[in-house]
Amino acid sequence: MSIQHTAEKAKAASKLMAAVDTETKNEALRKIAEALEANKDEITAANKEDLDRAENENLARPLLKRLKFDSDKIAGVCRGLRSLAGLEDPVGKTLASTELDIGLELYKTACPLGVVGVIFESRPDALVQISSLCLKSGNGVLLKGGSEAAKTNRILADIISRVSEQSGLPAGWLGLLETREDVSAMLGLENSVDLIVPRGSNEFVQFIMNNTNIPVLGHADGICHVYVDRQADLEMAARIAVDSKCQYPAVCNAMETLLVHEDIATQFLPLAKKGLDEYGCKLKGCEKTREIISCEPANEQDWQTEYLDYELSIRVVSRLEDAIDHINKYGSGHTDAIVSSDEPAARKFLSLVDSADVFWNASTRFSDGFRYGLGAEVGISTNKIHARGPVGLEGLLIYKWLLIGSGQTAGEYASGDKQFKHTPLGKNCPL
């Protein structure tokens, strides 16, 4: 089947998806979770084939970690599916309502985007998360995962398609792309695809943007920072820094650069190093950092690097403003955190750091759709369109205007015979 035909089927199915009732969607999500658990052995066997092939091809260690889809990962995505089934259905939700005149009411209501094309890394769990979010939000979806996960992605897509269609969803709402040529073909299908979500490097996102007329929701690099302020609780700061870097370093919300105020650097850096050393984390530091702890020298390129591994660059700064400037210059607009007991300093940081997610006294690892209560995420948006940060259900919706009248004509208002009231109604659409 050609990609054009696959996309056209998804487009046709998306028209029907928009009208699927809440319980049908929720039951499909629950049934998918049951099917994944029931087929756990087949899924992990397919994943082992992918892992063995990737190891033979010398895939980088961080990418191998992402590729692994074992029993724990399956259990995790199934929890996510059931959590998503328990969330309120966003489709049809009234966002605003206005009485234009007596008997003439205007409603702004949430509706699906249509067909979403998602190009994602070699993470099979991402396929489940993305497809389930599109299901709940009433969208069709075209999925292209990393080639390293080809067998795992294929069995997952087959299970999700089969079970969801048996549960009452329209056939063809989910399509799987498997080659680079498929992606190139999808970029030209602006009549069938409504949004593209590329997850990957800045260069990759830019390539997609430059080669399609379809709107793109960009998920760029995750160059995340933790800034330890001069009035930080040092024990807390060390816990947050170690968790941000080492809890799971192969993901986009892991810290890549640690910024430390010079007033507490002498006390804090040895404490942080002790925790980071327990994970074997390789440290690179500025000149001031290397005067305090033993580490390799950091250079300009390090401030711009997403390591995705147990590797971290450290810089000592003189002022809060220097930390903010560093983040806004070198960061990717993903997630950045301040650790401080000084509320005015924290407020300044939260206001001036230009990122999708900005935290106070919390690990950068909280930047996640599931942790935000979004059910899961289709990706992280670091650009400024209709969705920013972890993109869950709401990011996969747009809106439409519904006008309910009682025979009014525009001419009556143009002539002055009738006047608009424009009174907020504060009620849900009755349809």
Side-chain angles (χ1 to χ4, degrees):
M1 184 186 299
S2 72
I3 296 307
Q4 181 171 348
H5 184 55
T6 299
E8 288 173 352
K9 281 189 65 177
K11 187 68 172 179
S14 73
K15 306 293 187 184
L16 303 175
M17 286 283 287
V20 174
D21 66 273
T22 301
E23 186 49 40
T24 297
K25 292 188 289 188
N26 289 343
E27 182 63 15
L29 291 169
R30 291 189 286 264
K31 291 291 187 184
I32 291 168
E34 292 174 6
L36 293 178
E37 290 167 340
N39 291 275
K40 178 176 64 176
D41 292 344
E42 292 86 346
I43 295 168
T44 53
N47 184 245
K48 186 177 186 306
E49 289 186 52
D50 286 332
L51 282 168
D52 289 345
R53 185 179 65 257
E55 286 191 68
N56 290 336
E57 295 173 357
N58 297 314
L59 189 68
R61 186 175 66 168
L63 299 181
L64 283 172
K65 289 181 181 179
R66 290 187 177 195
L67 177 58
K68 188 175 182 180
F69 196 62
D70 55 11
S71 296
D72 289 341
K73 289 282 186 71
I74 293 173
V77 297
C78 289
R79 285 194 299 271
L81 286 163
R82 294 184 173 109
S83 173
L84 189 58
L87 294 181
E88 179 185 5
D89 191 342
V91 179
K93 184 176 180 181
T94 299
L95 306 176
S97 56
T98 305
E99 184 183 52
L100 302 187
D101 195 3
I102 295 173
L104 188 62
E105 298 178 351
L106 179 67
Y107 297 89
K108 182 181 182 181
T109 62
C111 64
L113 286 164
V115 175
V116 183
V118 188
I119 310 159
F120 57 99
E121 64 277 36
S122 299
R123 278 181 52 198
D125 53 326
L127 184 146
V128 182
Q129 292 175 359
I130 294 163
S131 59
S132 63
L133 284 171
C134 288
L135 188 162
K136 180 84 174 193
S137 59
N139 288 287
V141 64
L142 301 176
L143 298 164
K144 171 62 175 76
S147 59
E148 296 86 0
K151 289 185 177 294
T152 316
N153 288 340
R154 196 174 299 132
I155 190 171
L156 291 174
D158 286 346
I159 290 171
I160 293 168
S161 294
R162 172 173 51 81
V163 173
S164 61
E165 290 172 15
Q166 290 172 351
S167 300
L169 270 66
W173 74 273
L174 184 155
L176 184 66
L177 284 60
E178 300 200 57
T179 68
R180 291 183 179 180
E181 291 74 23
D182 290 346
V183 173
S184 297
M186 180 177 67
L187 298 182
L189 300 178
E190 57 265 27
N191 292 327
S192 299
V193 181
D194 298 284
L195 180 72
I196 291 181
V197 183
R199 295 166 45 137
S201 67
N202 279 317
E203 292 78 10
F204 174 66
V205 173
Q206 197 62 51
F207 171 82
I208 297 296
M209 289 179 173
N210 292 339
N211 287 275
T212 186
N213 293 321
I214 302 168
V216 176
L217 189 151
H219 175 195
D221 289 341
I223 303 178
C224 303
H225 302 76
V226 172
Y227 165 60
V228 181
D229 188 44
R230 60 192 297 271
Q231 293 191 39
D233 177 318
L234 300 189
E235 293 285 347
M236 176 197 291
R239 290 198 310 273
I240 289 173
V242 172
D243 186 83
S244 295
K245 176 72 262 185
C246 300
Q247 194 269 333
Y248 189 22
V251 287
C252 60
N253 60 12
M255 173 182 62
E256 305 294 10
T257 298
L258 175 64
L259 303 171
V260 183
H261 195 287
E262 64 181 7
D263 288 0
I264 51 88
T266 302
Q267 295 77 37
F268 174 73
L269 285 175
L271 186 63
K273 186 177 188 302
K274 181 180 179 182
L276 294 164
D277 283 348
E278 291 180 6
Y279 290 87
C281 190
K282 179 181 177 181
L283 305 180
K284 299 180 178 182
C286 68
E287 185 176 343
K288 290 182 179 179
T289 299
R290 288 183 287 115
E291 291 174 358
I292 301 169
I293 60 172
S294 174
C295 62
E296 295 183 9
N299 56 37
E300 182 74 9
Q301 187 59 41
D302 288 308
W303 312 133
Q304 306 170 53
T305 298
E306 183 182 24
Y307 298 112
L308 296 172
D309 204 350
Y310 292 105
E311 192 165 351
L312 177 69
S313 57
I314 305 173
R315 183 177 182 182
V316 175
V317 296
S318 301
R319 305 176 305 147
L320 165 67
E321 291 78 9
D322 294 336
I324 293 170
D325 289 344
H326 178 103
I327 291 169
N328 287 338
K329 179 178 180 180
Y330 296 106
S332 59
H334 193 298
T335 304
D336 301 288
I338 180 174
V339 185
S340 180
S341 59
D342 182 351
E343 183 173 337
R347 287 183 178 276
K348 188 171 188 177
F349 185 92
L350 297 178
S351 297
L352 295 182
V353 168
D354 187 19
S355 295
D357 307 87
V358 191
F359 299 164
W360 177 19
N361 291 343
S363 168
T364 61
R365 290 283 289 120
F366 283 106
S367 174
D368 174 83
F370 178 73
R371 294 185 176 111
Y372 278 13
L374 305 180
E377 66 185 39
V378 69
I380 297 277
S381 172
T382 53
N383 55 12
K384 299 176 182 178
I385 55 174
H386 77 288
R388 197 178 186 205
V391 180
L393 292 175
E394 291 185 1
L396 293 173
L397 298 168
I398 194 66
Y399 54 84
K400 63 171 66 174
W401 297 97
L402 304 180
L403 184 63
I404 303 173
S406 51
Q408 292 85 351
T409 61
E412 296 172 287
Y413 296 89
S415 66
D417 291 341
K418 289 187 176 182
Q419 303 295 322
F420 289 113
K421 297 180 180 298
H422 292 141
T423 304
L425 283 172
K427 70 176 186 178
N428 290 330
C429 180
L431 300 179

